[in-house]
Amino acid sequence: MVLLKLKNKKLLDEAFTHRSYLNEAKLKISSNERLEFLGDSILSFIVSSYLYAKYPDFDEGTLTNLDL
């Protein structure tokens, strides 16, 4: 088991804070949307790199339309 030691607890709080909760609770803290954007970008890069390497003969349009 891997245990992580967090240096920034505020980042963890932000990761689990949805905007709808902030609207209801009337809090002035950040939601997880910026982190979600970053995570989506990282996952997109990983999947794109995998598909690019796995299907070297596919053009960009075919790679974009792959339904895995």
Side-chain angles (χ1 to χ4, degrees):
M1 177 187 337
V2 176
L3 296 176
L4 300 175
K5 184 173 182 178
L6 297 175
K7 294 180 181 180
N8 185 350
K9 185 185 176 304
K10 290 176 107 177
L11 189 60
L12 183 64
D13 290 340
E14 182 179 333
F16 288 103
T17 304
H18 194 269
R19 182 174 50 168
S20 62
Y21 168 74
L22 293 176
N23 290 337
E24 294 291 323
K26 308 286 188 225
L27 297 174
K28 301 287 185 196
I29 60 176
S30 297
S31 73
N32 63 356
E33 290 181 358
R34 285 180 49 87
L35 292 172
E36 183 179 5
F37 167 79
L38 180 61
D40 289 348
S41 298
I42 292 168
L43 288 173
S44 178
F45 172 75
I46 292 168
V47 170
S48 297
S49 297
Y50 170 79
L51 293 174
Y52 187 84
K54 182 168 174 96
Y55 303 106
D57 297 330
F58 287 10
D59 64 24
E60 66 280 0
T62 304
L63 289 168
T64 298
N65 290 321
L66 285 176
D67 185 13
L68 301 175

